[in-house]
Amino acid sequence: MSTPIRVAIMGYGNLGRGVEAAIAQNQDMQLLGVFSRRDPATIATRAPAYAASEIMAFQDRIDVLILCGGSATDLPEQGPSYARHFNTVDSYDTHAKIPEYFERVDEAAKAGGNVSVISTGWDPGLFSLNRLLGQAILPDGLDYTFWGKGVSQGHSDAVRRVPGVKMGVQYTIPAEDALARVRAGEEPTLSTREKHQRECFVVLEEGADQEEVRQAIVNMPHYFADYNTTVTFLSEEVLRRDHAAMPHGGYVLRSGRTGDNTKQLMEFSIKLGSNPEFTASVLVAYARAAHRYAQEGAVGAKTVLDIPFAYLSPKSGAALRKELL
Amino acid sequence: MSTPIRVAIMGYGNLGRGVEAAIAQNQDMQLLGVFSRRDPATIATRAPAYAASEIMAFQDRIDVLILCGGSATDLPEQGPSYARHFNTVDSYDTHAKIPEYFERVDEAAKAGGNVSVISTGWDPGLFSLNRLLGQAILPDGLDYTFWGKGVSQGHSDAVRRVPGVKMGVQYTIPAEDALARVRAGEEPTLSTREKHQRECFVVLEEGADQEEVRQAIVNMPHYFADYNTTVTFLSEEVLRRDHAAMPHGGYVLRSGRTGDNTKQLMEFSIKLGSNPEFTASVLVAYARAAHRYAQEGAVGAKTVLDIPFAYLSPKSGAALRKELL
């Protein structure tokens, strides 16, 4: 085996921890260190931990820097800034702002002579790939995406902002009957309410009124008003015991027609025990691709749509053709 | 819109007809003609039909030649031979011989300065892509492939070779309980018998013995002996009425673990009303990729594993990032 790919992690929350675990599963990779804005002494990692501010001292030793910050405030600043000095991979997921983010990272990566793979993960990411595949193969057809069952951070945050809520977790649940209709080739027009249900688990502040909190949640515009939402109240102890995991999942379907109105269906789905660990595993596979592009002398920003799957694998083209085709 | 991609079809069986229909669904493509070893006057196509022997006269006008012959005898000869003179796409599917076929086509395409995309379709093809994706993202895991429900040509041919069989169709059926166990993350070890059932529909020759034919089928080595196989006898009229379609489908699953033994599942599946029409649609999408590579000056053989999904789409990178990420 050739020299391992030297990877570093920027940001050590759930995603950063997932990346650390994923790197350990890939023998062609080596974790050089974890960088964080927190005091390195407080970082519970087996890898060397450093202050984020020290990273430039490692520029010559890091093949790929995996950015594990959030899309709201971290990545819009970190993405372009680190792309100037490192090959990077990130999971920037603010869908509407991806074109602008791409341009900014692309400019910085080109200026620095680096490769940056942006917006990996599963949506955007694997789901985007499957939407593109479905549209290219079945141009006469419709796309359907269902999310869940899984914890939505945005909706959980919304629940926690309701006065009287001490703790809360929200699950997005795809409607089985809607999914069944799509799979049957009906090509239904589905309302927001028909596609997903929302299930909230809430710990009340002392003295808060259950019915008032429930009404505030289920009638919240954008987040819950357009859905069938259930709210279940429980103790802090039970919430911590039963709702600490971060499962997620979802389905991308393409329902189309070929020839003389022949029905054709393509479906991709994932069922994740841990959303951050899976997203981290996708980041690590695309770190391998970033390294390969960099070795070939490529520069600039790329998305999952631009990268052949062969670049995700440690195996040679000949081995892949023999084993997988 | 720029100049359409000028496509020609070599071979006009079920697959060639599917390609003709698929090209009509793609506005950036134009069907230049259908080439066949049969007398062009007998080819029931709305496109111009020509003798295969005339094709060299069209060399300057064909951007991509889609090879629609079979893998047993047509493609091993046609693939390398046409790759020398045209950009080509094919669905060569003799899995064990793909590495050798790749080398032969690669040499010819490079000699001619052309691009050849080999072994597209769904298996090999889309299923290979999903096996690679699963292995790259979840290196600690297991692959599962189930085929069907669908008509297997190889097994239908085997049924038809049994003495006393006048006509026959064989369906491969994935075992629902095995699929459910994989989806549940059990990572089971499944025997051949546990994964698929086989269902045969047979029209007997006059005077043939039903039980003798049934025993000959269900005990046939390799094809049926290792499976639970049912044989249903029916009239020629009913067989023609109910079993003329060529549905197929299948599932590729990757069941893996991340972090501290967290279960993760990826699944890709297709449900096809017509196997040849869907395969044809895949060929046409990869014809677009072949054309794009040729315009970039690339040469040689490529497989689906080497080609970014963006090359399958008529849309620009910017449009894809905006709409699909």
PDB file of all heavy atoms in Angstrom, chain A residues 189-223:
ATOM      1  N   THR A 189     -49.807  13.863  -7.021  1.00  0.00           N
ATOM      2  CA  THR A 189     -49.447  15.194  -6.539  1.00  0.00           C
ATOM      3  C   THR A 189     -49.698  15.177  -5.040  1.00  0.00           C
ATOM      4  O   THR A 189     -50.825  14.967  -4.600  1.00  0.00           O
ATOM      5  CB  THR A 189     -50.321  16.265  -7.213  1.00  0.00           C
ATOM      6  OG1 THR A 189     -50.146  16.152  -8.620  1.00  0.00           O
ATOM      7  CG2 THR A 189     -49.924  17.662  -6.746  1.00  0.00           C
ATOM      8  N   LEU A 190     -48.645  15.373  -4.259  1.00  0.00           N
ATOM      9  CA  LEU A 190     -48.757  15.209  -2.816  1.00  0.00           C
ATOM     10  C   LEU A 190     -48.588  16.549  -2.117  1.00  0.00           C
ATOM     11  O   LEU A 190     -47.630  17.276  -2.389  1.00  0.00           O
ATOM     12  CB  LEU A 190     -47.688  14.230  -2.316  1.00  0.00           C
ATOM     13  CG  LEU A 190     -47.793  12.799  -2.860  1.00  0.00           C
ATOM     14  CD1 LEU A 190     -46.506  12.025  -2.581  1.00  0.00           C
ATOM     15  CD2 LEU A 190     -48.990  12.080  -2.245  1.00  0.00           C
ATOM     16  N   SER A 191     -49.498  16.854  -1.214  1.00  0.00           N
ATOM     17  CA  SER A 191     -49.360  18.071  -0.415  1.00  0.00           C
ATOM     18  C   SER A 191     -48.303  17.831   0.652  1.00  0.00           C
ATOM     19  O   SER A 191     -47.935  16.695   0.949  1.00  0.00           O
ATOM     20  CB  SER A 191     -50.690  18.405   0.253  1.00  0.00           C
ATOM     21  OG  SER A 191     -50.995  17.415   1.217  1.00  0.00           O
ATOM     22  N   THR A 192     -47.825  18.927   1.230  1.00  0.00           N
ATOM     23  CA  THR A 192     -46.877  18.856   2.339  1.00  0.00           C
ATOM     24  C   THR A 192     -47.406  17.931   3.433  1.00  0.00           C
ATOM     25  O   THR A 192     -46.694  17.072   3.944  1.00  0.00           O
ATOM     26  CB  THR A 192     -46.659  20.277   2.900  1.00  0.00           C
ATOM     27  OG1 THR A 192     -46.095  21.065   1.838  1.00  0.00           O
ATOM     28  CG2 THR A 192     -45.713  20.285   4.074  1.00  0.00           C
ATOM     29  N   ARG A 193     -48.682  18.095   3.777  1.00  0.00           N
ATOM     30  CA  ARG A 193     -49.295  17.309   4.846  1.00  0.00           C
ATOM     31  C   ARG A 193     -49.341  15.819   4.508  1.00  0.00           C
ATOM     32  O   ARG A 193     -49.240  14.970   5.396  1.00  0.00           O
ATOM     33  CB  ARG A 193     -50.724  17.834   5.098  1.00  0.00           C
ATOM     34  CG  ARG A 193     -51.427  17.280   6.326  1.00  0.00           C
ATOM     35  CD  ARG A 193     -52.803  17.917   6.521  1.00  0.00           C
ATOM     36  NE  ARG A 193     -52.733  19.347   6.734  1.00  0.00           N
ATOM     37  CZ  ARG A 193     -52.534  19.937   7.915  1.00  0.00           C
ATOM     38  NH1 ARG A 193     -52.400  19.202   8.996  1.00  0.00           N
ATOM     39  NH2 ARG A 193     -52.479  21.245   8.015  1.00  0.00           N
ATOM     40  N   GLU A 194     -49.497  15.515   3.223  1.00  0.00           N
ATOM     41  CA  GLU A 194     -49.601  14.105   2.826  1.00  0.00           C
ATOM     42  C   GLU A 194     -48.256  13.384   2.820  1.00  0.00           C
ATOM     43  O   GLU A 194     -48.207  12.162   2.856  1.00  0.00           O
ATOM     44  CB  GLU A 194     -50.214  13.990   1.420  1.00  0.00           C
ATOM     45  CG  GLU A 194     -51.701  14.264   1.378  1.00  0.00           C
ATOM     46  CD  GLU A 194     -52.218  14.323  -0.054  1.00  0.00           C
ATOM     47  OE1 GLU A 194     -51.623  15.062  -0.880  1.00  0.00           O
ATOM     48  OE2 GLU A 194     -53.221  13.640  -0.334  1.00  0.00           O
ATOM     49  N   LYS A 195     -47.165  14.145   2.707  1.00  0.00           N
ATOM     50  CA  LYS A 195     -45.864  13.490   2.545  1.00  0.00           C
ATOM     51  C   LYS A 195     -45.175  13.108   3.858  1.00  0.00           C
ATOM     52  O   LYS A 195     -44.512  12.101   3.936  1.00  0.00           O
ATOM     53  CB  LYS A 195     -44.912  14.398   1.734  1.00  0.00           C
ATOM     54  CG  LYS A 195     -45.263  14.472   0.257  1.00  0.00           C
ATOM     55  CD  LYS A 195     -44.228  15.262  -0.512  1.00  0.00           C
ATOM     56  CE  LYS A 195     -42.924  14.516  -0.625  1.00  0.00           C
ATOM     57  NZ  LYS A 195     -41.880  15.328  -1.308  1.00  0.00           N
ATOM     58  N   HIS A 196     -45.307  13.969   4.856  1.00  0.00           N
ATOM     59  CA  HIS A 196     -44.595  13.739   6.120  1.00  0.00           C
ATOM     60  C   HIS A 196     -45.472  14.040   7.320  1.00  0.00           C
ATOM     61  O   HIS A 196     -46.306  14.937   7.270  1.00  0.00           O
ATOM     62  CB  HIS A 196     -43.346  14.633   6.221  1.00  0.00           C
ATOM     63  CG  HIS A 196     -42.319  14.337   5.185  1.00  0.00           C
ATOM     64  ND1 HIS A 196     -42.259  15.003   3.987  1.00  0.00           N
ATOM     65  CD2 HIS A 196     -41.310  13.438   5.160  1.00  0.00           C
ATOM     66  CE1 HIS A 196     -41.257  14.530   3.267  1.00  0.00           C
ATOM     67  NE2 HIS A 196     -40.666  13.587   3.943  1.00  0.00           N
ATOM     68  N   GLN A 197     -45.245  13.288   8.389  1.00  0.00           N
ATOM     69  CA  GLN A 197     -45.811  13.636   9.689  1.00  0.00           C
ATOM     70  C   GLN A 197     -44.669  14.100  10.586  1.00  0.00           C
ATOM     71  O   GLN A 197     -43.521  13.780  10.337  1.00  0.00           O
ATOM     72  CB  GLN A 197     -46.489  12.411  10.325  1.00  0.00           C
ATOM     73  CG  GLN A 197     -47.783  12.019   9.633  1.00  0.00           C
ATOM     74  CD  GLN A 197     -47.780  10.574   9.197  1.00  0.00           C
ATOM     75  OE1 GLN A 197     -47.163   9.727   9.821  1.00  0.00           O
ATOM     76  NE2 GLN A 197     -48.468  10.291   8.099  1.00  0.00           N
ATOM     77  N   ARG A 198     -45.059  14.830  11.645  1.00  0.00           N
ATOM     78  CA  ARG A 198     -44.048  15.291  12.604  1.00  0.00           C
ATOM     79  C   ARG A 198     -44.433  14.849  14.015  1.00  0.00           C
ATOM     80  O   ARG A 198     -45.579  14.994  14.426  1.00  0.00           O
ATOM     81  CB  ARG A 198     -43.898  16.814  12.527  1.00  0.00           C
ATOM     82  CG  ARG A 198     -43.444  17.284  11.145  1.00  0.00           C
ATOM     83  CD  ARG A 198     -42.836  18.667  11.137  1.00  0.00           C
ATOM     84  NE  ARG A 198     -42.332  19.011   9.820  1.00  0.00           N
ATOM     85  CZ  ARG A 198     -41.139  18.651   9.343  1.00  0.00           C
ATOM     86  NH1 ARG A 198     -40.327  17.931  10.087  1.00  0.00           N
ATOM     87  NH2 ARG A 198     -40.766  19.009   8.132  1.00  0.00           N
ATOM     88  N   GLU A 199     -43.441  14.305  14.719  1.00  0.00           N
ATOM     89  CA  GLU A 199     -43.677  13.730  16.040  1.00  0.00           C
ATOM     90  C   GLU A 199     -42.736  14.437  17.013  1.00  0.00           C
ATOM     91  O   GLU A 199     -41.518  14.390  16.837  1.00  0.00           O
ATOM     92  CB  GLU A 199     -43.321  12.238  15.950  1.00  0.00           C
ATOM     93  CG  GLU A 199     -44.042  11.329  16.905  1.00  0.00           C
ATOM     94  CD  GLU A 199     -43.775   9.863  16.550  1.00  0.00           C
ATOM     95  OE1 GLU A 199     -44.514   9.299  15.730  1.00  0.00           O
ATOM     96  OE2 GLU A 199     -42.805   9.299  17.072  1.00  0.00           O
ATOM     97  N   CYS A 200     -43.323  15.094  18.036  1.00  0.00           N
ATOM     98  CA  CYS A 200     -42.493  15.849  18.983  1.00  0.00           C
ATOM     99  C   CYS A 200     -42.528  15.203  20.364  1.00  0.00           C
ATOM    100  O   CYS A 200     -43.590  14.781  20.830  1.00  0.00           O
ATOM    101  CB  CYS A 200     -42.993  17.288  19.106  1.00  0.00           C
ATOM    102  SG  CYS A 200     -43.115  18.136  17.521  1.00  0.00           S
ATOM    103  N   PHE A 201     -41.372  15.149  21.006  1.00  0.00           N
ATOM    104  CA  PHE A 201     -41.277  14.674  22.385  1.00  0.00           C
ATOM    105  C   PHE A 201     -40.737  15.818  23.232  1.00  0.00           C
ATOM    106  O   PHE A 201     -39.663  16.347  22.947  1.00  0.00           O
ATOM    107  CB  PHE A 201     -40.370  13.436  22.465  1.00  0.00           C
ATOM    108  CG  PHE A 201     -40.983  12.256  21.769  1.00  0.00           C
ATOM    109  CD1 PHE A 201     -40.789  12.063  20.404  1.00  0.00           C
ATOM    110  CD2 PHE A 201     -41.804  11.380  22.459  1.00  0.00           C
ATOM    111  CE1 PHE A 201     -41.387  10.996  19.751  1.00  0.00           C
ATOM    112  CE2 PHE A 201     -42.403  10.305  21.813  1.00  0.00           C
ATOM    113  CZ  PHE A 201     -42.195  10.113  20.451  1.00  0.00           C
ATOM    114  N   VAL A 202     -41.522  16.190  24.243  1.00  0.00           N
ATOM    115  CA  VAL A 202     -41.263  17.443  24.952  1.00  0.00           C
ATOM    116  C   VAL A 202     -41.199  17.226  26.469  1.00  0.00           C
ATOM    117  O   VAL A 202     -42.043  16.531  27.033  1.00  0.00           O
ATOM    118  CB  VAL A 202     -42.385  18.471  24.618  1.00  0.00           C
ATOM    119  CG1 VAL A 202     -42.310  19.684  25.546  1.00  0.00           C
ATOM    120  CG2 VAL A 202     -42.298  18.886  23.151  1.00  0.00           C
ATOM    121  N   VAL A 203     -40.188  17.840  27.076  1.00  0.00           N
ATOM    122  CA  VAL A 203     -40.120  17.949  28.542  1.00  0.00           C
ATOM    123  C   VAL A 203     -40.524  19.380  28.889  1.00  0.00           C
ATOM    124  O   VAL A 203     -39.925  20.330  28.371  1.00  0.00           O
ATOM    125  CB  VAL A 203     -38.690  17.677  29.060  1.00  0.00           C
ATOM    126  CG1 VAL A 203     -38.639  17.808  30.583  1.00  0.00           C
ATOM    127  CG2 VAL A 203     -38.204  16.306  28.599  1.00  0.00           C
ATOM    128  N   LEU A 204     -41.552  19.518  29.730  1.00  0.00           N
ATOM    129  CA  LEU A 204     -42.048  20.858  30.084  1.00  0.00           C
ATOM    130  C   LEU A 204     -41.192  21.499  31.178  1.00  0.00           C
ATOM    131  O   LEU A 204     -40.651  20.806  32.044  1.00  0.00           O
ATOM    132  CB  LEU A 204     -43.489  20.764  30.591  1.00  0.00           C
ATOM    133  CG  LEU A 204     -44.578  20.470  29.554  1.00  0.00           C
ATOM    134  CD1 LEU A 204     -45.930  20.331  30.267  1.00  0.00           C
ATOM    135  CD2 LEU A 204     -44.642  21.575  28.495  1.00  0.00           C
ATOM    136  N   GLU A 205     -41.106  22.834  31.102  1.00  0.00           N
ATOM    137  CA  GLU A 205     -40.589  23.595  32.250  1.00  0.00           C
ATOM    138  C   GLU A 205     -41.585  23.438  33.396  1.00  0.00           C
ATOM    139  O   GLU A 205     -42.785  23.237  33.170  1.00  0.00           O
ATOM    140  CB  GLU A 205     -40.531  25.106  31.909  1.00  0.00           C
ATOM    141  CG  GLU A 205     -39.654  25.480  30.751  1.00  0.00           C
ATOM    142  CD  GLU A 205     -38.213  25.713  31.166  1.00  0.00           C
ATOM    143  OE1 GLU A 205     -37.838  25.302  32.291  1.00  0.00           O
ATOM    144  OE2 GLU A 205     -37.456  26.269  30.339  1.00  0.00           O
ATOM    145  N   GLU A 206     -41.085  23.560  34.601  1.00  0.00           N
ATOM    146  CA  GLU A 206     -41.999  23.444  35.733  1.00  0.00           C
ATOM    147  C   GLU A 206     -43.079  24.521  35.640  1.00  0.00           C
ATOM    148  O   GLU A 206     -42.785  25.687  35.360  1.00  0.00           O
ATOM    149  CB  GLU A 206     -41.213  23.581  37.049  1.00  0.00           C
ATOM    150  CG  GLU A 206     -41.921  22.880  38.190  1.00  0.00           C
ATOM    151  CD  GLU A 206     -41.009  22.739  39.397  1.00  0.00           C
ATOM    152  OE1 GLU A 206     -39.893  22.223  39.236  1.00  0.00           O
ATOM    153  OE2 GLU A 206     -41.438  23.175  40.483  1.00  0.00           O
ATOM    154  N   GLY A 207     -44.335  24.099  35.841  1.00  0.00           N
ATOM    155  CA  GLY A 207     -45.443  25.048  35.840  1.00  0.00           C
ATOM    156  C   GLY A 207     -45.994  25.371  34.472  1.00  0.00           C
ATOM    157  O   GLY A 207     -47.000  26.072  34.353  1.00  0.00           O
ATOM    158  N   ALA A 208     -45.366  24.887  33.394  1.00  0.00           N
ATOM    159  CA  ALA A 208     -45.866  25.197  32.052  1.00  0.00           C
ATOM    160  C   ALA A 208     -47.153  24.432  31.779  1.00  0.00           C
ATOM    161  O   ALA A 208     -47.374  23.348  32.311  1.00  0.00           O
ATOM    162  CB  ALA A 208     -44.807  24.842  31.015  1.00  0.00           C
ATOM    163  N   ASP A 209     -48.009  25.017  30.920  1.00  0.00           N
ATOM    164  CA  ASP A 209     -49.293  24.396  30.613  1.00  0.00           C
ATOM    165  C   ASP A 209     -49.175  23.511  29.372  1.00  0.00           C
ATOM    166  O   ASP A 209     -48.809  23.976  28.287  1.00  0.00           O
ATOM    167  CB  ASP A 209     -50.349  25.481  30.396  1.00  0.00           C
ATOM    168  CG  ASP A 209     -51.719  24.886  30.129  1.00  0.00           C
ATOM    169  OD1 ASP A 209     -52.422  24.578  31.096  1.00  0.00           O
ATOM    170  OD2 ASP A 209     -52.049  24.694  28.924  1.00  0.00           O
ATOM    171  N   GLN A 210     -49.511  22.253  29.567  1.00  0.00           N
ATOM    172  CA  GLN A 210     -49.354  21.258  28.508  1.00  0.00           C
ATOM    173  C   GLN A 210     -50.106  21.644  27.237  1.00  0.00           C
ATOM    174  O   GLN A 210     -49.557  21.604  26.134  1.00  0.00           O
ATOM    175  CB  GLN A 210     -49.883  19.927  29.053  1.00  0.00           C
ATOM    176  CG  GLN A 210     -49.275  18.725  28.386  1.00  0.00           C
ATOM    177  CD  GLN A 210     -49.589  17.426  29.147  1.00  0.00           C
ATOM    178  OE1 GLN A 210     -49.004  17.112  30.179  1.00  0.00           O
ATOM    179  NE2 GLN A 210     -50.532  16.688  28.610  1.00  0.00           N
ATOM    180  N   GLU A 211     -51.357  22.018  27.380  1.00  0.00           N
ATOM    181  CA  GLU A 211     -52.188  22.289  26.209  1.00  0.00           C
ATOM    182  C   GLU A 211     -51.731  23.552  25.477  1.00  0.00           C
ATOM    183  O   GLU A 211     -51.759  23.631  24.253  1.00  0.00           O
ATOM    184  CB  GLU A 211     -53.663  22.392  26.617  1.00  0.00           C
ATOM    185  CG  GLU A 211     -54.639  22.322  25.450  1.00  0.00           C
ATOM    186  CD  GLU A 211     -54.360  21.180  24.444  1.00  0.00           C
ATOM    187  OE1 GLU A 211     -53.849  20.123  24.862  1.00  0.00           O
ATOM    188  OE2 GLU A 211     -54.625  21.384  23.238  1.00  0.00           O
ATOM    189  N   GLU A 212     -51.272  24.535  26.265  1.00  0.00           N
ATOM    190  CA  GLU A 212     -50.759  25.765  25.650  1.00  0.00           C
ATOM    191  C   GLU A 212     -49.514  25.474  24.809  1.00  0.00           C
ATOM    192  O   GLU A 212     -49.360  25.970  23.694  1.00  0.00           O
ATOM    193  CB  GLU A 212     -50.367  26.750  26.770  1.00  0.00           C
ATOM    194  CG  GLU A 212     -50.987  28.125  26.635  1.00  0.00           C
ATOM    195  CD  GLU A 212     -50.782  28.922  27.928  1.00  0.00           C
ATOM    196  OE1 GLU A 212     -49.627  29.344  28.178  1.00  0.00           O
ATOM    197  OE2 GLU A 212     -51.762  29.082  28.688  1.00  0.00           O
ATOM    198  N   VAL A 213     -48.623  24.673  25.369  1.00  0.00           N
ATOM    199  CA  VAL A 213     -47.390  24.318  24.650  1.00  0.00           C
ATOM    200  C   VAL A 213     -47.738  23.533  23.391  1.00  0.00           C
ATOM    201  O   VAL A 213     -47.213  23.793  22.305  1.00  0.00           O
ATOM    202  CB  VAL A 213     -46.437  23.508  25.569  1.00  0.00           C
ATOM    203  CG1 VAL A 213     -45.321  22.849  24.760  1.00  0.00           C
ATOM    204  CG2 VAL A 213     -45.855  24.413  26.651  1.00  0.00           C
ATOM    205  N   ARG A 214     -48.654  22.567  23.526  1.00  0.00           N
ATOM    206  CA  ARG A 214     -49.036  21.750  22.373  1.00  0.00           C
ATOM    207  C   ARG A 214     -49.570  22.640  21.248  1.00  0.00           C
ATOM    208  O   ARG A 214     -49.162  22.512  20.089  1.00  0.00           O
ATOM    209  CB  ARG A 214     -50.110  20.728  22.782  1.00  0.00           C
ATOM    210  CG  ARG A 214     -50.481  19.754  21.642  1.00  0.00           C
ATOM    211  CD  ARG A 214     -51.823  19.041  21.893  1.00  0.00           C
ATOM    212  NE  ARG A 214     -51.895  18.431  23.203  1.00  0.00           N
ATOM    213  CZ  ARG A 214     -51.410  17.217  23.501  1.00  0.00           C
ATOM    214  NH1 ARG A 214     -50.830  16.511  22.568  1.00  0.00           N
ATOM    215  NH2 ARG A 214     -51.526  16.738  24.720  1.00  0.00           N
ATOM    216  N   GLN A 215     -50.465  23.569  21.609  1.00  0.00           N
ATOM    217  CA  GLN A 215     -51.046  24.445  20.585  1.00  0.00           C
ATOM    218  C   GLN A 215     -49.967  25.327  19.941  1.00  0.00           C
ATOM    219  O   GLN A 215     -49.983  25.556  18.730  1.00  0.00           O
ATOM    220  CB  GLN A 215     -52.152  25.324  21.186  1.00  0.00           C
ATOM    221  CG  GLN A 215     -53.408  24.546  21.593  1.00  0.00           C
ATOM    222  CD  GLN A 215     -54.062  23.822  20.413  1.00  0.00           C
ATOM    223  OE1 GLN A 215     -53.984  24.273  19.267  1.00  0.00           O
ATOM    224  NE2 GLN A 215     -54.671  22.680  20.686  1.00  0.00           N
ATOM    225  N   ALA A 216     -49.034  25.821  20.760  1.00  0.00           N
ATOM    226  CA  ALA A 216     -47.969  26.682  20.221  1.00  0.00           C
ATOM    227  C   ALA A 216     -47.120  25.916  19.213  1.00  0.00           C
ATOM    228  O   ALA A 216     -46.696  26.463  18.191  1.00  0.00           O
ATOM    229  CB  ALA A 216     -47.102  27.214  21.363  1.00  0.00           C
ATOM    230  N   ILE A 217     -46.896  24.625  19.496  1.00  0.00           N
ATOM    231  CA  ILE A 217     -46.090  23.824  18.566  1.00  0.00           C
ATOM    232  C   ILE A 217     -46.874  23.523  17.289  1.00  0.00           C
ATOM    233  O   ILE A 217     -46.423  23.844  16.181  1.00  0.00           O
ATOM    234  CB  ILE A 217     -45.615  22.506  19.234  1.00  0.00           C
ATOM    235  CG1 ILE A 217     -44.615  22.813  20.360  1.00  0.00           C
ATOM    236  CG2 ILE A 217     -44.985  21.568  18.199  1.00  0.00           C
ATOM    237  CD1 ILE A 217     -44.238  21.603  21.207  1.00  0.00           C
ATOM    238  N   VAL A 218     -48.038  22.895  17.423  1.00  0.00           N
ATOM    239  CA  VAL A 218     -48.735  22.390  16.220  1.00  0.00           C
ATOM    240  C   VAL A 218     -49.180  23.521  15.298  1.00  0.00           C
ATOM    241  O   VAL A 218     -49.364  23.293  14.097  1.00  0.00           O
ATOM    242  CB  VAL A 218     -49.926  21.457  16.564  1.00  0.00           C
ATOM    243  CG1 VAL A 218     -49.450  20.284  17.423  1.00  0.00           C
ATOM    244  CG2 VAL A 218     -51.053  22.222  17.237  1.00  0.00           C
ATOM    245  N   ASN A 219     -49.339  24.726  15.831  1.00  0.00           N
ATOM    246  CA  ASN A 219     -49.766  25.844  14.980  1.00  0.00           C
ATOM    247  C   ASN A 219     -48.612  26.731  14.506  1.00  0.00           C
ATOM    248  O   ASN A 219     -48.848  27.757  13.868  1.00  0.00           O
ATOM    249  CB  ASN A 219     -50.794  26.703  15.732  1.00  0.00           C
ATOM    250  CG  ASN A 219     -52.061  25.920  16.009  1.00  0.00           C
ATOM    251  OD1 ASN A 219     -52.576  25.234  15.121  1.00  0.00           O
ATOM    252  ND2 ASN A 219     -52.551  25.995  17.239  1.00  0.00           N
ATOM    253  N   MET A 220     -47.377  26.343  14.805  1.00  0.00           N
ATOM    254  CA  MET A 220     -46.233  27.163  14.406  1.00  0.00           C
ATOM    255  C   MET A 220     -46.122  27.190  12.874  1.00  0.00           C
ATOM    256  O   MET A 220     -46.012  26.152  12.236  1.00  0.00           O
ATOM    257  CB  MET A 220     -44.952  26.582  15.014  1.00  0.00           C
ATOM    258  CG  MET A 220     -43.764  27.540  14.970  1.00  0.00           C
ATOM    259  SD  MET A 220     -42.239  26.691  15.510  1.00  0.00           S
ATOM    260  CE  MET A 220     -42.671  26.169  17.169  1.00  0.00           C
ATOM    261  N   PRO A 221     -46.157  28.418  12.296  1.00  0.00           N
ATOM    262  CA  PRO A 221     -46.099  28.501  10.828  1.00  0.00           C
ATOM    263  C   PRO A 221     -44.794  27.910  10.296  1.00  0.00           C
ATOM    264  O   PRO A 221     -43.787  27.897  11.009  1.00  0.00           O
ATOM    265  CB  PRO A 221     -46.164  30.008  10.540  1.00  0.00           C
ATOM    266  CG  PRO A 221     -46.537  30.671  11.824  1.00  0.00           C
ATOM    267  CD  PRO A 221     -46.192  29.738  12.938  1.00  0.00           C
ATOM    268  N   HIS A 222     -44.802  27.486   9.042  1.00  0.00           N
ATOM    269  CA  HIS A 222     -43.638  26.895   8.361  1.00  0.00           C
ATOM    270  C   HIS A 222     -43.205  25.560   8.978  1.00  0.00           C
ATOM    271  O   HIS A 222     -43.113  24.555   8.290  1.00  0.00           O
ATOM    272  CB  HIS A 222     -42.429  27.850   8.336  1.00  0.00           C
ATOM    273  CG  HIS A 222     -42.781  29.211   7.802  1.00  0.00           C
ATOM    274  ND1 HIS A 222     -43.334  29.386   6.551  1.00  0.00           N
ATOM    275  CD2 HIS A 222     -42.701  30.447   8.360  1.00  0.00           C
ATOM    276  CE1 HIS A 222     -43.550  30.672   6.359  1.00  0.00           C
ATOM    277  NE2 HIS A 222     -43.192  31.339   7.442  1.00  0.00           N
ATOM    278  N   TYR A 223     -42.971  25.544  10.275  1.00  0.00           N
ATOM    279  CA  TYR A 223     -42.405  24.347  10.887  1.00  0.00           C
ATOM    280  C   TYR A 223     -43.428  23.226  11.099  1.00  0.00           C
ATOM    281  O   TYR A 223     -43.135  22.063  10.859  1.00  0.00           O
ATOM    282  CB  TYR A 223     -41.741  24.686  12.223  1.00  0.00           C
ATOM    283  CG  TYR A 223     -40.422  25.401  12.050  1.00  0.00           C
ATOM    284  CD1 TYR A 223     -40.342  26.788  12.012  1.00  0.00           C
ATOM    285  CD2 TYR A 223     -39.244  24.672  11.916  1.00  0.00           C
ATOM    286  CE1 TYR A 223     -39.130  27.440  11.843  1.00  0.00           C
ATOM    287  CE2 TYR A 223     -38.018  25.319  11.752  1.00  0.00           C
ATOM    288  CZ  TYR A 223     -37.972  26.698  11.715  1.00  0.00           C
ATOM    289  OH  TYR A 223     -36.767  27.329  11.548  1.00  0.00           O
TER     290      TYR A 223
END
